[in-house]
Amino acid sequence: MEQVTIYGRTSCGFCLRARDLCESQNIPYTWVDMVKQGLSKQDVAERIGQPVYTVPQILVGSEYVGGSDEFFAYVRQHGV
């Protein structure tokens, strides 16, 4: 699987679940902590080209996947 990018917050359970899935399945990923980076939802929206209402926001390579539920479904569908 291509490099995964997760935009999220450490206080978000769904964000941590997505990160844990990458770690447990040995999926290469980059964690972008929005709080530490000082990123707003608008900043992330500009980076991913999608409106952002919730976190996490996840990309596989340059493909926008969505949130945690969509990412779990993506991994199930595409396998690792």
Side-chain angles (χ1 to χ4, degrees):
M1 183 175 290
E2 290 185 68
Q3 178 79 22
V4 172
T5 303
I6 304 170
Y7 291 92
R9 298 182 177 126
T10 55
S11 61
C12 166
F14 292 105
C15 300
L16 298 179
R17 280 185 59 220
R19 193 169 70 175
D20 290 345
L21 176 63
C22 289
E23 290 178 2
S24 70
Q25 299 296 315
N26 294 316
I27 299 169
Y29 75 98
T30 300
W31 167 255
V32 181
D33 187 321
M34 292 172 60
V35 174
K36 283 187 180 178
Q37 301 265 339
L39 297 173
S40 69
K41 290 179 183 175
Q42 182 60 39
D43 294 329
V44 174
E46 290 171 7
R47 288 185 181 191
I48 66 174
Q50 299 284 331
V52 173
Y53 304 106
T54 61
V55 291
Q57 293 296 308
I58 303 171
L59 296 103
V60 176
S62 60
E63 177 184 355
Y64 175 73
V65 173
S68 180
D69 291 341
E70 292 84 5
F71 181 57
F72 271 75
Y74 183 95
V75 170
R76 277 192 303 275
Q77 183 179 23
H78 293 88
V80 179

